Amino acid sequence: MLSILRSLVQEVNSARDLKEALDIIVSRVQDAMGTEVCSVYLLDPASNRYILMATQGLYKQSVGVVSLAYSEGLVGLVGSREEPINLEDAPSHPRYRYFPETGEERFRSFLGVPIIHHRRVLGVLVVQQRESSRCFDEGEEAFLVTVSAQLAGVIAHSEATGAISGLSLTGEETWDVCFNGVPGAPGVAIGTGVVVYPAADLDAVPEKPAEDLEHELALFRSSVDSVREDIERVANRLASQLRSEEQALFDVYLRMLGDEALPGEVENRIRENVWAQGALKQVVQQYIRHFEMMDDPYLRERAVDIRDLGRRLLSYLQEGEQETLEYPENTVLVSEELTPAMLGEVPKGRLVGLVSMKGSSNSHVAILARAMGVPTVMGLVDTPVNQLNGRELVVDGFEGQIFASPSTDLRAFYQAIYDEENELIRGLEALRDLPCETTDGHRISLLVNTGLMTDVVRSLTHGAEGIGLYRTEVPFMIKERFPSEQEQREYYREQLEAFAPNPVTMRTLDVGGDKALSYFPIEEENPFLGWRGIRVTLDHPEIFLVQVRAMLKASEGLNNLQIMLPMISNISEVEESLHLIYRVYHEVREEGYDIRMPKVGVMVEIPAAIYQIRELAERVDFLSVGSNDLTQYLLAVDRNNPRVAQLYHSYHPAVLQALVRVAQDAHSVGKPVGICGELAGDPGGALLLMAMGYDSLSMNAASLPKVKSVIRSVDREWAIQLLEDVLLLDSPHVIKSCVDLALRNAGFGRYLRPDRSSAAALVEQAAS
Ligand code: PEP
Ligand code: MG
């Protein structure tokens, strides 16, 4: 069974479109189960009907013609019950529906299983048999359930690929094709998709027609020549070291590159008007599928060689290509997995939106996007990324959705939101120099989180009172080696100077988890519970000492430096770090630098720290809660995993209780406590944190004006009452609604996500 399943999934995975995928499924399942009929019905979201999309055994002319209402017939019953239905005599069931077009009256036994992906019923997979005595047995039922579960993702993906090309299941033209992900950075962007992909990755090659057929053919032929020369060179070089059987492997490669073989097929595809890279991808994937399905293990292994050959050819085809990537005026950058370096490639002023298939709202690239104020959607798992290139896209960073092929109405709706948001931001500029205090005079410091120099510029224009978190790993991430002490000193000086005399809190290097340095790879099974933050730098004092030395020297004459330690789970980590910081401080002073000992603080982002707040606070000058990680670890929800993103809830009662306790315990030993996680930049979250007594809130620059305007409009007693009310609730969703309602009642409905039900009003407003 397993090997049937494996080859079925592989075959379906490399199908060119939904139709081919479904045809493969029905014919392979029919074969494997030895049944007379196998059919797939898919639920068409536009009509809310199940449409017969593929069949083996029913009349072929009924495909695309027969359809059932959402709860009609046995198919509707399987879909609405979301479980298999196995009947010996289907026509005697009260829900049986007869369609003469299918020729179905000949079949009596029926087994239908739902196809469900991420809780959504996509359709129903059905097998049928003529004899009434033949009831499908338990094993067959289990097999069909397994097939359906394995294929649901592939079907969802192919369905989306069809939709994005502008076709519904029934082949009609579609508009406003929506893909759901998770919000990465708020705001709306309308622009053109530019897909960036890692080099020499066949799977990531986008679909494109050949613009110049002859050019594509010539390009491909020259890449074949180059690969052939490479292989011959390597074979000659190794001739004396290899046995003749091993040498024969190179001959296999060269034979595969013979005109008759792979190159001939790729050229035929190019002639069908596919660009060279796309043609190569299609042919190589077909070969791989073919080899992987072979029974002989030796031949199965040859799939690896084909993949390797494909990669070599692709890298010649791509030579010089990434540099010539064109970024139009309103670029929406799209990638399987966005990296900070990719953002840096887009010319200044052209980047309007970001879309990443992987990651979630708490991934570091999303945090960077919020800092830059670029609307972002993350975790669009089933979206055919390669099809987004060159398309007009609407990015809704509030809801976490993107739309392809927007209709005029939808575009107008989003244009109106975009204009409103800009107007709101302009209105808030007046608040820049006003203090952040409630109507009854309670003051709280509003600080910013930075990483790049652009954040600093934005922060200053938004009236930040200092830096609450400078993520020093950001400049490390955009380099190709560890920055030298002098280079670090220059980065740090920029940040310190920009805000002097206000405090600048620099966190020591926090790599590991999802923050990788290309030149210092950390490969772990479970990186978020592994070698992260202070654990890495204490194991590598040479990195820690150089960094602290650069920070201290950079602070000379400014004396506004504060140092913060990430991922603290033990008192001993604090003591060791303090020991190293004091050592550097004395050494730097001995070198003649006139510096003051900076304040040192720890981040509270591991649950263990919540229970040792007093012990920690007694050893340092301040505490700062990293609510992003604290939420992740308290709720055991990976902050990057879109599958569980709906469980990552900053308003979870356990998170709120922990935050209350941290503030109380820190104050009980007289130490200030701030927060530098994303919750601080959420207007509702900021209100609750202010009520809990946090001394400072550090957030991305884009959020600062909104938070300030909310805090300046309320009195603290009101916020404390709101906090007391929500602490009595047990559901994160109810708490969120309660806080949203309070914000609405206080006149801040505009700061919440726009309500799609007001679409008509906005479109009208835009039209007028
Ligand atoms: C946090 O964990 O809340 C935090 C501010 O740190 P980072 O997001 O950089 O891990
Ligand atoms: Mg953290």
Side-chain angles (χ1 to χ4, degrees):
M1 271 318 176
L2 259 182
S3 76
I4 295 177
L5 260 177
R6 203 187 57 190
S7 68
L8 175 60
V9 171
Q10 269 162 7
E11 235 187 307
V12 173
N13 252 325
S14 46
R16 274 201 270 177
D17 54 28
L18 181 63
K19 187 176 171 327
E20 193 179 317
L22 299 179
D23 284 339
I24 295 172
I25 293 172
V26 291
S27 94
R28 297 289 174 272
V29 171
Q30 187 209 32
D31 228 29
M33 291 182 71
T35 73
E36 284 160 302
V37 176
C38 178
S39 319
V40 178
Y41 296 80
L42 291 188
L43 186 60
D44 176 28
S47 59
N48 206 27
R49 293 180 74 83
Y50 287 98
I51 299 171
L52 176 63
M53 297 293 295
T55 185
Q56 277 291 327
L58 298 181
Y59 293 152
K60 290 278 184 197
Q61 60 267 33
S62 56
V63 168
V65 176
V66 165
S67 74
L68 298 97
Y70 180 70
S71 51
E72 193 183 355
L74 291 173
V75 166
L77 191 62
V78 173
S80 59
R81 289 175 59 103
E82 300 187 358
E83 60 179 350
I85 291 185
N86 190 352
L87 300 171
E88 198 172 329
D89 184 21
S92 67
H93 192 280
R95 289 289 291 272
Y96 179 77
R97 250 309 253 111
Y98 165 59
F99 292 93
E101 306 91 307
T102 61
E104 197 171 31
E105 66 276 25
R106 294 176 288 140
F107 304 103
R108 303 206 76 82
S109 41
F110 170 102
L111 168 60
V113 302
I115 306 167
I116 301 179
H117 185 59
H118 291 315
R119 297 191 180 191
R120 187 165 72 90
V121 176
L122 302 178
V124 176
L125 182 58
V126 174
V127 287
Q128 288 170 287
Q129 194 70 22
R130 200 183 306 251
E131 326 97 74
S132 58
S133 54
R134 162 94 148 88
C135 187
F136 292 101
D137 67 25
E138 254 185 90
E140 288 171 308
E141 190 175 314
F143 174 72
L144 205 61
V145 169
T146 317
V147 169
S148 158
Q150 288 250 354
L151 294 176
V154 190
I155 293 175
H157 190 85
S158 325
E159 202 181 277
T161 309
I164 209 163
S165 318
L167 293 179
S168 72
L169 286 181
T170 47
E172 285 147 24
E173 206 173 340
T174 52
W175 297 99
D176 302 343
V177 185
C178 176
F179 298 99
N180 288 301
V182 286
V188 161
I190 304 174
T192 311
V194 175
V195 176
V196 276
Y197 43 94
D201 177 358
L202 271 174
D203 297 332
V205 168
E207 304 287 338
K208 277 206 281 190
E211 272 170 23
D212 176 349
L213 234 145
E214 287 311 315
H215 171 74
E216 294 296 313
L217 281 170
L219 200 67
F220 177 67
R221 284 179 192 138
S222 101
S223 73
V224 172
D225 290 344
S226 307
V227 173
R228 194 179 285 128
E229 281 164 25
D230 286 351
I231 293 171
E232 282 165 352
R233 195 168 343 106
V234 176
N236 287 340
R237 206 174 51 228
L238 297 179
S240 56
Q241 301 164 34
L242 297 178
R243 286 176 298 156
S244 61
E245 317 86 270
E246 290 161 343
Q247 276 285 335
L249 279 177
F250 292 108
D251 297 336
V252 174
Y253 266 56
L254 291 171
R255 268 203 302 279
M256 285 197 268
L257 284 175
D259 286 347
E260 293 302 304
L262 191 132
E265 286 188 45
V266 176
E267 287 186 21
N268 287 342
R269 288 281 164 98
I270 297 175
R271 287 195 193 92
E272 287 168 19
N273 211 30
V274 181
W275 73 316
Q277 294 186 32
L280 177 71
K281 169 187 172 167
Q282 289 176 10
V283 173
V284 168
Q285 285 185 339
Q286 207 174 26
Y287 267 71
I288 291 174
R289 190 172 83 204
H290 187 70
F291 277 101
E292 281 180 341
M293 273 170 11
M294 293 191 173
D295 289 331
D296 179 339
Y298 173 79
L299 289 175
R300 242 193 345 256
E301 276 303 304
R302 298 287 64 78
V304 179
D305 300 334
I306 296 278
R307 190 182 293 282
D308 180 47
L309 205 54
R311 213 175 30 77
R312 286 167 187 272
L313 288 164
L314 185 65
S315 71
Y316 276 107
L317 287 174
Q318 287 181 337
E319 253 181 13
E321 191 194 61
Q322 293 275 357
E323 297 96 77
T324 59
L325 206 62
E326 287 196 13
Y327 297 99
E329 211 47 63
N330 291 321
T331 293
V332 174
L333 206 61
V334 182
S335 181
E336 193 58 41
E337 186 160 26
L338 280 175
T339 62
M342 289 176 181
L343 313 201
E345 294 290 325
V346 187
K348 227 173 160 203
R350 297 211 170 168
L351 182 65
V352 296
L354 295 171
V355 175
S356 181
M357 304 304 131
K358 291 198 180 144
S360 117
S361 62
N362 294 290
S363 307
H364 285 91
V365 74
I367 291 174
L368 204 63
R370 285 197 284 275
M372 293 163 70
V374 183
T376 301
V377 176
M378 307 284 294
L380 283 144
V381 266
D382 292 315
T383 308
V385 56
N386 299 333
Q387 305 271 338
L388 298 177
N389 202 41
R391 284 184 197 276
E392 184 178 19
L393 299 177
V394 171
V395 179
D396 179 346
F398 296 107
E399 293 281 346
Q401 292 178 322
I402 64 163
F403 295 88
S405 318
S407 58
T408 327
D409 278 0
L410 190 94
R411 199 182 300 107
F413 168 64
Y414 276 105
Q415 188 64 45
I417 294 179
Y418 176 85
D419 295 343
E420 239 199 23
E421 185 72 10
N422 279 349
E423 197 186 311
L424 178 70
I425 291 168
R426 273 197 301 277
L428 292 175
E429 274 165 17
L431 296 179
R432 200 188 101 152
D433 298 320
L434 298 175
C436 182
E437 65 182 18
T438 55
T439 49
D440 51 346
H442 174 79
R443 274 207 70 154
I444 181 164
S445 301
L446 291 196
L447 310 170
V448 273
N449 296 346
T450 61
L452 299 169
M453 200 51 203
T454 47
D455 306 333
V456 172
V457 178
R458 285 170 67 91
S459 317
L460 288 169
T461 57
H462 286 178
E465 296 165 54
I467 297 183
L469 166 63
Y470 170 46
R471 290 186 166 95
T472 57
E473 58 277 6
V474 176
F476 277 65
M477 281 156 92
I478 54 181
K479 287 206 78 86
E480 274 157 15
R481 51 164 176 77
F482 280 110
S484 66
E485 182 185 317
Q486 182 55 28
E487 281 168 331
Q488 290 188 49
R489 199 171 144 184
E490 283 162 21
Y491 301 142
Y492 303 157
R493 183 78 187 179
E494 273 180 345
Q495 304 268 330
L496 291 161
E497 262 176 352
F499 279 90
N502 288 340
V504 169
T505 313
M506 299 200 172
R507 176 169 75 185
T508 59
L509 192 66
D510 183 18
V511 289
D514 68 332
K515 286 181 281 193
L517 300 178
S518 54
Y519 47 88
F520 187 65
I522 301 174
E523 300 282 339
E524 287 180 316
E525 281 277 308
N526 208 342
F528 276 111
L529 298 184
W531 208 43
R532 273 196 75 182
I534 201 74
R535 301 170 183 182
V536 176
T537 47
L538 284 181
D539 285 351
H540 277 279
E542 78 282 16
I543 300 174
F544 189 82
L545 291 168
V546 168
Q547 186 174 36
V548 173
R549 191 168 289 123
M551 287 177 181
L552 290 175
K553 287 183 182 170
S555 74
E556 191 181 30
L558 300 171
N559 297 318
N560 57 341
L561 167 69
Q562 307 198 130
I563 295 179
M564 186 156 77
L565 309 169
M567 291 291 293
I568 294 293
S569 61
N570 274 301
I571 300 298
S572 63
E573 288 164 340
V574 180
E575 288 178 339
E576 272 182 72
S577 307
L578 282 170
H579 171 77
L580 293 176
I581 295 171
Y582 274 111
R583 194 183 110 187
V584 177
Y585 167 71
H586 289 298
E587 285 169 4
V588 172
R589 276 189 67 92
E590 269 165 31
E591 284 174 41
Y593 287 88
D594 179 18
I595 50 162
R596 262 191 246 145
M597 177 65 193
K599 286 188 175 159
V600 179
V602 297
M603 289 193 74
V604 179
E605 47 186 352
I606 293 182
I610 302 169
Y611 303 98
Q612 285 198 296
I613 290 296
R614 291 196 188 90
E615 291 82 348
L616 290 168
E618 276 159 7
R619 288 168 171 81
V620 292
D621 302 298
F622 65 92
L623 299 172
S624 183
V625 177
S627 58
N628 307 336
D629 277 317
L630 189 63
T631 308
Q632 150 168 275
Y633 293 125
L634 273 175
L635 304 182
V637 175
D638 177 347
R639 59 194 270 192
N640 281 307
N641 184 345
R643 267 203 201 150
V644 289
Q646 76 284 3
L647 294 174
Y648 184 100
H649 222 301
S650 317
Y651 288 93
H652 193 292
V655 175
L656 297 183
Q657 297 287 356
L659 292 170
V660 169
R661 178 174 177 155
V662 170
Q664 282 171 350
D665 287 359
H667 288 156
S668 74
V669 287
K671 290 290 162 70
V673 59
I675 182 156
C676 57
E678 294 299 297
L679 184 62
D682 170 69
L687 279 181
L688 298 181
L689 293 164
M690 187 259 295
M692 290 176 196
Y694 278 83
D695 302 288
S696 61
L697 305 177
S698 191
M699 64 200 74
N700 63 71
S703 304
L704 201 140
K706 285 186 189 171
V707 168
K708 191 190 265 189
S709 88
V710 169
I711 290 182
R712 284 183 54 83
S713 313
V714 301
D715 92 35
R716 183 152 187 254
E717 280 313 310
W718 176 86
I720 289 176
Q721 189 55 54
L722 176 65
L723 175 66
E724 283 174 4
D725 290 347
V726 300
L727 286 176
L728 298 174
L729 301 170
D730 55 16
S731 148
H733 299 284
V734 178
I735 295 177
K736 174 86 174 84
S737 310
C738 195
V739 174
D740 282 357
L741 184 67
L743 279 175
R744 266 202 190 95
N745 289 343
F748 292 104
R750 289 188 308 159
Y751 291 4
L752 304 171
R753 289 174 185 175
D755 177 4
R756 194 67 58 69
S757 62
S758 60
L762 275 162
V763 171
E764 236 170 66
Q765 189 183 321
S768 65

